[in-house]
Amino acid sequence: MANNIGGIYTDPFHSDTSNNSSNIFQVTAPWFGGIRVCATTTNKKLLVIGSDDGHHFWTLEGKFENDDTAVAMDFTPKAPGVGMLHCLNPTGKIEFLDADGTTVSNTWSRLTATESFKLQDQPKHDAFNNVNGFYVDRAIFTPGSFAGIRLVSNRLGKFLRDEVCVVGTDNGHDFWAHESGSFDKATNILKFNYSSGKCHNGTIQFSDGTEWTKVTLGTFDMHLLPKEV
């Protein structure tokens, strides 16, 4: 089950732009608010990168329980009053349980790509080189597939930090996660133990020639993609 959890999910509690507590920038749909991308790290930890406001991308961590059929996800860095939540992991869903351990209070649903799915290069960028965001590797990404998607986050919940995490997929189905990266704000250099790259004007250009480009949804509403189940 642990490996099956990887994918792109929609959270109904945060995907609606009318949710003013999340949509603090008054973004109009389509947006990345409510998108959550999950993957398992090499040490079998769950890593989630998502956005509530459509602009900032946070990281949360979880651990697998009950022979990997359940997850304990720590929301403390994002919502201290929520704390640790326990979830079930049926195929294509992450079901969050109430305190009674049986009632499902929220469900993240895994999305599937269709031929109409597409992403556009982000036309404008922050005045500083903000590494945080939704990227694609243009050498891999093709419309109609999740292949080549990368989410980069330098936030643990709502707190900025020096550590950088990335989740992504090369084939659109199998998702991977890298943690313990770093971003030097003075030089705009992103470093992982396997590579390093320079962040500039919405791109990360790696030393091996790979380039990631920050993207937006344009007119495509990602939340309307078909749910797996």
Side-chain angles (χ1 to χ4, degrees):
M1 278 284 190
N3 291 330
N4 187 50
I5 201 170
I8 299 177
Y9 293 77
T10 178
D11 175 357
F13 279 12
H14 295 90
S15 59
D16 191 339
T17 56
S18 66
N19 184 343
N20 293 324
S21 63
S22 297
N23 191 9
I24 59 174
F25 297 109
Q26 297 301 302
V27 179
T28 57
W31 71 329
F32 287 128
I35 290 294
R36 285 85 174 90
V37 184
C38 303
T40 306
T41 66
T42 54
N43 61 352
K44 305 303 181 185
K45 180 172 62 178
L46 175 65
L47 203 67
V48 182
I49 295 181
S51 177
D52 291 347
D53 61 16
H55 183 70
H56 299 99
F57 289 82
W58 42 255
T59 302
L60 292 178
E61 299 177 353
K63 60 181 181 179
F64 293 97
E65 301 177 320
N66 299 334
D67 296 325
D68 298 340
T69 62
V71 177
M73 198 178 304
D74 188 6
F75 278 77
T76 305
K78 185 170 100 68
V82 174
M84 186 74 72
L85 292 181
H86 293 272
C87 325
L88 299 178
N89 177 30
T91 300
K93 296 180 179 180
I94 300 176
E95 298 177 335
F96 292 85
L97 302 177
D98 275 344
D100 62 13
T102 57
T103 304
V104 176
S105 59
N106 188 23
T107 299
W108 295 358
S109 298
R110 188 158 57 191
L111 301 173
T112 59
T114 62
E115 291 183 359
S116 59
F117 174 64
K118 58 184 178 180
L119 296 165
Q120 299 178 4
D121 291 358
Q122 184 172 302
K124 296 182 180 180
H125 309 288
D126 295 307
F128 56 94
N129 289 321
N130 183 13
V131 71
N132 178 87
F134 200 118
Y135 294 79
V136 296
D137 182 338
R138 285 293 183 194
I140 300 175
F141 178 76
T142 55
S145 170
F146 292 149
I149 283 176
R150 284 89 171 89
L151 271 75
V152 180
S153 171
N154 60 346
R155 294 173 179 268
L156 181 61
K158 60 184 178 181
F159 300 103
L160 276 169
R161 59 177 179 172
D162 294 330
E163 182 177 343
V164 176
C165 295
V166 179
V167 294
T169 176
D170 294 336
N171 61 12
H173 302 286
D174 303 308
F175 284 75
W176 44 258
H178 294 309
E179 50 186 344
S180 302
S182 64
F183 182 62
D184 187 324
K185 299 178 182 66
T187 62
N188 301 316
I189 298 297
L190 172 65
K191 289 184 178 180
F192 285 91
N193 57 6
Y194 58 89
S195 187
S196 64
K198 187 176 182 66
C199 179
H200 179 67
N201 286 345
T203 64
I204 304 174
Q205 298 174 334
F206 289 91
S207 53
D208 63 359
T210 301
E211 183 173 297
W212 297 355
T213 303
K214 193 173 285 191
V215 293
T216 181
L217 289 167
T219 59
F220 187 89
D221 193 339
M222 197 170 187
H223 295 285
L224 298 182
L225 286 170
K227 298 176 176 64
E228 186 173 318
V229 290

